[in-house]
Amino acid sequence: MISALQRIFSSPDRRSVFSRIIGFFSTGKEQPITADSDYITEQFNYHRRNVVVLITLCYGLGYVCRLAFNVVKKPLMDAGVFTPEEVGIIGATLLYGYALGKFTNGFLADHAHVGRFFAGGLFLSAMANMGMGFSELAWVSALLWGINGWFQGFGAPSSVVSLSSWYSNSERGRYYGIWSTAHSIGEGLTYLGVAWLIAEAPKGLGLDWQWGFWTPALICIFGAYLLWRYLPDKPRALGLPTIADWKGDHGKIDKEHQDESVWKTQLRVLTIPSIWILALASSSMYVTRYAINSWGNVYLQEIRGFDLFDANLFIFFNTAAGILGCLAFGLVSDKFFKARRPPANLIFGFCEIVPLLVIFYGPQNNVVLAIAMIVYGFGLSGILASLGGLFAIDIAPKKVAGAAMGFIGIFSYIGAGAQDYISGKMIYDSEIIFAFPHGEQNFNIFFYNYDKPIIFWVGASVVSILLASSLWKVKAAD
Amino acid sequence: MTVKLVLLSVGISALLVGCGDKQEASFCKSHAKEHQIHQSDITQIEINYSEQGLIVAQVKVAKENVQRDVLSNMANIIDVKAVRACTNESVDIKEAGNYYQASYSLNCGLDNKLKKVSVLVLDNLKTVEEVEVAISTPSSSKHFVLNRQCDSPIFNIN
C-alpha cells in the first residue's frame, strides 16, 4: 500500500498529484478480449470465487467500524459523557455521512477500480474510529463519526459493482444473498466482540469504552489490506468479456439506450418511478433496522434490565439469524418466484413485523424474546437484501448498478439518520434524573420512556411493506 | 511477515488486558457480589413513581445515623423538580428496633413531567456510607447500590 502511494507521489508523470490519485483509483481501460476460451473460463472461475469471499468478509469487517458506537452508547450515557440527544446526533451524523457516501460513491464506484476504492474507504474509516476513542466533545465526535459515515459508504457500491460485474442476472440473487450475510457477520462481530471487550467481568474484559473504537480500527486496517491486494477490477479491464456475454445470460435489452454513456444512463435511473418508490420503502425499513441496531441494546438495558453483554447478545441473535434470512431471500426469490422479488418481499415483511410486535408488546420472557429476535432478524435481513439493493439492481440498467444502489442508499440512510436523531430526542424528552448528591459529587440515575419511539419504529416497517407491495408487477431490466 | 503479525497480535492482546483493570476500583467492581453479606444492615431507599403521578419514597435507616427531626422534614430527604410543582402529601416516621422507617408521599399529578428527583440521604446523613436503592417508574425499574468510595452506581447486585 505504501509503495503504491510512493508511486503516485514520486512519479515523473506530468499530471498533478490529484489527477494521478484519480487515475490510480479509476477502473482500467477496456482491453481487447483474449481469444483463449480456456483462459477466460479459468480467470472467471478464479476471480468469481475470490470476489464473493472478499466482498463478504471485508464488508462484514467494515461493519465493526460503523457500529462500534452503538455498543458504547449506554456506557457513554451512564458516564455522563453524552446525553441521549447528543448520542442521537452523533449516531445520525454517521448515517447522513453514509447516505452521502453511498450516493456519491455509488456514482464513483461505476468508474473505479473497486479493490483500491473499497480498501481506501475502509482504511480511512479505521482512522476515524481511532479518533473517536480520543474524543469526549460532542461536536468533535459528531464530526468524526460523520466523516466515518462517508468513508463507510465506499464499501456497498464497490461490492455491488463487483457483484454485477462478475455474476449474471440469473445467479445474482444467490450471490447477493451471500454478500448480504456480511451485514450479519459484521453486526455479530460488533454486538458480541465489541460488547465482550467493554462488558464487566466475568462476561467481558471490562475495558474502557475507548477500546470499543480502537479495536474495530485495527480490524478494518486488516480488511483494507486484503481488499487492496486481492479484489480485482472489472472483467473488461482484464481482457475478459462481460459476465452477460460469458454466461449467455442477457435480460430485457433496452435497445433505445443501449449505446448511451454511463453518465447519461446513471441520470436516467432517477426518472424510473419504481426506483423512487423502492427508495422510500427502503428508507422506512432502515428506520426500523437502525432503531433496533442503535437503540435496541440501550432499550434492553434500560427497560428490560439486562446488562450490557446480555443486551448485545439478544441483538446478536437477530443479526446471526440475518445470515440465514439473506441466503433464504436470494434462494426463495430466484427459485420459487423466478427471480421476482415482490412476493418474497411480502413473506419476509411479515416475518419481520410479527416478531417486532412480540419483542415490544409480547410476554416479558427471555426465551420468547430470543425467539422473536431470531425471527425478526431473519425477516429483516431478507427484505433488506431486496429493498436495499437487489430489487434496485433488477430494475436498473446493469451498467449503472452502482448509481441505482447509491440512490436507494441515500434515501435509506437519510431515513436511518433521521430515525437516530428523532429517537434520541424522544428518549431524551422522557428523561427523569434521580440524583443522589453527596458533597461535591453526584450519583445520577437516568430513566427513559420508550413508548413513543417504539410506535415510530414499528410504524416505519408497516409503511415500508405497503410501499414495497405496490411494486408487485415490476420486472428486471438488462 | 507472519512473525511480525504474531508479535503485533501478542502486543495488542497484552495492551488490552493491561489496560483493562484499575486497582483502585477493585472494591467497587467486586462489591456487587459481596453486598449481600451486609445487605440487612445498610440504609435502604425504595421509590415508587406511579402512572397516576404519585411518588412514594420509603427510607430505612439506623437510628445511630440520623435524628428523628431530620427525617421528619421531607426537604431533608427528597426534592422533586417537575414542569408543575408537586404537592407534599404526607410524612410518616416509625421506629422498628434500631431503625427508623420513614415514608414520604408526593402528588405530582397525572400529566405532569418529572425532571429531576434529588434524594438527599447521602448529602444530609453524613455517617451513611452506603445505600441500597430500588426505583420503580411507569417505564422501568432499577436496583443498585451507592457507596461513597465508588464513582458510579453498582448494578446487578445479588
Side-chain angles (χ1 to χ4, degrees):
Chain A
M1 195 181 287
I2 290 165
S3 62
L5 290 172
Q6 278 172 343
R7 276 202 304 277
I8 291 173
F9 289 102
S10 61
S11 164
D13 190 339
R14 267 187 277 171
R15 289 179 300 161
S16 68
V17 170
F18 181 72
S19 302
R20 273 181 270 153
I21 291 173
I22 297 287
F24 180 75
F25 283 102
S26 297
T27 184
K29 283 185 184 148
E30 292 190 358
Q31 303 294 324
I33 297 169
T34 176
D36 185 346
S37 64
D38 288 343
Y39 173 77
I40 290 173
T41 304
E42 184 192 311
Q43 285 294 302
F44 262 110
N45 288 341
Y46 172 74
H47 287 303
R48 278 156 57 86
R49 193 180 54 232
N50 273 2
V51 164
V52 72
V53 171
L54 276 167
I55 61 174
T56 306
L57 175 70
C58 295
Y59 194 56
L61 294 179
Y63 255 79
V64 185
C65 275
R66 191 191 311 179
L67 300 175
F69 184 64
N70 296 344
V71 177
V72 299
K73 265 182 181 176
K74 183 79 166 55
L76 285 170
M77 282 160 56
D78 285 345
V81 178
F82 300 128
T83 67
E85 192 173 11
E86 286 169 338
V87 160
I89 290 169
I90 296 167
T93 60
L94 176 124
L95 297 164
Y96 292 138
Y98 189 70
L100 180 68
K102 248 189 156 179
F103 185 66
T104 57
N105 301 332
F107 280 79
L108 293 174
D110 288 326
H111 305 269
H113 179 310
V114 285
R116 294 170 183 175
F117 190 66
F118 193 170
L122 205 51
F123 180 77
L124 293 168
S125 172
M127 295 299 103
N129 271 261
M130 281 285 180
M132 284 294 284
F134 291 102
S135 167
E136 291 193 8
L137 288 172
W139 72 267
V140 173
S141 292
L143 185 68
L144 275 172
W145 213 228
I147 293 169
N148 182 40
W150 193 69
F151 295 142
Q152 281 279 326
F154 283 52
S158 304
S159 302
V160 168
V161 168
S162 285
L163 280 169
S164 57
S165 299
W166 292 97
Y167 306 97
S168 69
N169 276 338
S170 61
E171 58 185 5
R172 196 172 301 115
R174 275 161 283 161
Y175 284 100
Y176 194 98
I178 294 171
W179 172 67
S180 295
T181 61
H183 300 272
S184 307
I185 293 169
E187 288 173 1
L189 262 174
T190 312
Y191 292 119
L192 269 195
V194 179
W196 175 72
L197 292 174
I198 307 301
E200 293 295 329
K203 290 182 180 171
L205 289 181
L207 301 182
D208 293 335
W209 60 267
Q210 286 88 343
W211 286 99
F213 291 111
W214 293 335
T215 313
L218 295 172
I219 291 170
C220 287
I221 290 170
F222 172 68
Y225 172 75
L226 289 181
L227 289 166
W228 187 276
R229 282 294 303 270
Y230 301 112
L231 189 65
D233 204 347
K234 291 169 192 162
R236 291 294 289 111
L238 303 178
L240 301 171
T242 64
I243 187 65
D245 287 341
W246 184 64
K247 292 286 275 189
D249 181 8
H250 291 273
K252 187 180 83 183
I253 293 174
D254 181 357
K255 288 188 175 148
E256 193 188 336
H257 300 100
Q258 211 173 356
D259 299 321
E260 200 173 57
S261 74
V262 171
W263 286 110
K264 264 194 172 175
T265 316
Q266 282 181 329
L267 288 175
R268 194 160 54 79
V269 165
L270 307 181
T271 66
I272 303 171
S274 8
I275 290 278
W276 284 86
I277 294 173
L278 197 56
L280 289 171
S282 180
S283 177
S284 303
M285 192 54 78
Y286 267 65
V287 167
T288 315
R289 177 195 179 188
Y290 273 90
I292 301 298
N293 277 356
S294 301
W295 296 100
N297 74 72
V298 185
Y299 162 82
L300 289 174
Q301 291 172 76
E302 282 287 338
I303 306 297
R304 304 287 283 265
F306 294 106
D307 61 31
L308 187 141
F309 186 84
D310 287 350
N312 281 283
L313 185 64
F314 280 108
I315 302 295
F316 168 75
F317 287 152
N318 113 66
T319 63
I323 297 174
L324 277 179
C326 292
L327 295 173
F329 188 93
L331 267 175
V332 167
S333 61
D334 277 0
K335 295 286 180 191
F336 297 108
F337 299 108
K338 296 176 182 168
R340 284 191 68 232
R341 316 302 173 195
N345 287 345
L346 196 59
I347 293 169
F348 279 77
F350 275 109
C351 286
E352 189 259 348
I353 285 185
V354 173
L356 203 55
L357 294 170
V358 174
I359 290 166
F360 293 121
Y361 303 110
Q364 306 269 308
N365 175 293
N366 292 357
V367 177
V368 172
L369 178 63
I371 292 169
M373 277 288 183
I374 289 167
V375 181
Y376 161 77
F378 178 85
L380 178 86
S381 292
I383 196 165
L384 274 180
S386 173
L387 302 182
L390 182 56
F391 201 10
I393 302 173
D394 283 349
I395 296 169
K398 296 298 156 291
K399 66 178 171 181
V400 293
M405 183 81 177
F407 182 67
I408 302 286
I410 196 165
F411 267 79
S412 302
Y413 281 90
I414 285 173
Q419 170 284 129
D420 225 353
Y421 174 69
I422 293 167
S423 300
K425 180 91 175 91
M426 284 197 281
I427 293 165
Y428 186 50
D429 285 347
S430 73
E431 180 181 84
I432 304 172
I433 302 170
F434 281 79
F436 296 79
H438 58 109
E440 297 294 302
Q441 288 183 300
N442 231 348
F443 289 115
N444 283 333
I445 310 292
F446 301 95
F447 280 80
Y448 303 103
N449 189 315
Y450 281 72
D451 291 352
K452 286 180 189 170
I454 287 169
I455 292 168
F456 172 46
W457 302 340
V458 176
S461 277
V462 174
V463 169
S464 172
I465 290 161
L466 290 174
L467 285 168
S469 300
S470 72
L471 299 173
W472 195 264
K473 291 182 177 171
V474 173
K475 289 198 172 75
D478 197 11
Chain B
M1 187 67 189
T2 316
V3 177
K4 279 183 185 170
L5 274 176
V6 170
L7 283 174
L8 182 68
S9 311
V10 171
I12 290 166
S13 308
L15 202 58
L16 286 174
V17 174
C19 291
D21 226 350
K22 287 174 186 160
Q23 285 298 320
E24 67 269 23
S26 60
F27 165 78
C28 305
K29 287 205 168 186
S30 61
H31 189 63
K33 281 181 190 163
E34 294 153 5
H35 175 70
Q36 59 179 326
I37 297 167
H38 72 160
Q39 192 167 21
S40 57
D41 301 330
I42 66 159
T43 303
Q44 307 217 341
I45 303 171
E46 195 178 322
I47 301 171
N48 188 358
Y49 173 44
S50 71
E51 283 186 21
Q52 288 71 37
L54 285 175
I55 297 176
V56 176
Q58 292 179 312
V59 180
K60 179 193 156 201
V61 58
K63 286 178 178 174
E64 63 190 30
N65 287 322
V66 65
Q67 305 230 329
R68 192 184 176 108
D69 294 353
V70 175
L71 282 180
S72 302
N73 184 356
M74 192 186 288
N76 287 330
I77 302 299
I78 188 164
D79 174 49
V80 179
K81 287 193 171 56
V83 173
R84 289 196 325 273
C86 305
T87 53
N88 296 355
E89 296 279 299
S90 65
V91 178
D92 181 31
I93 315 288
K94 285 183 182 148
E95 291 184 33
N98 294 328
Y99 292 90
Y100 286 121
Q101 286 190 322
S103 179
Y104 308 90
S105 170
L106 296 100
N107 191 348
C108 296
L110 257 178
D111 51 354
N112 200 358
K113 167 81 182 75
L114 292 195
K115 289 285 179 191
K116 190 172 187 177
V117 178
S118 297
V119 182
L120 307 164
V121 171
L122 289 172
D123 220 17
N124 291 330
L125 280 56
K126 303 290 184 196
T127 52
V128 172
E129 271 301 304
E130 181 174 311
V131 292
E132 181 176 335
V133 186
I135 301 174
S136 171
T137 72
S139 62
S140 60
S141 304
K142 290 185 182 180
H143 183 204
F144 52 91
V145 163
L146 303 174
N147 188 299
R148 289 185 193 271
Q149 293 181 50
C150 304
D151 292 335
S152 53
I154 301 165
F155 287 93
N156 305 315
I157 47 178
N158 292 324

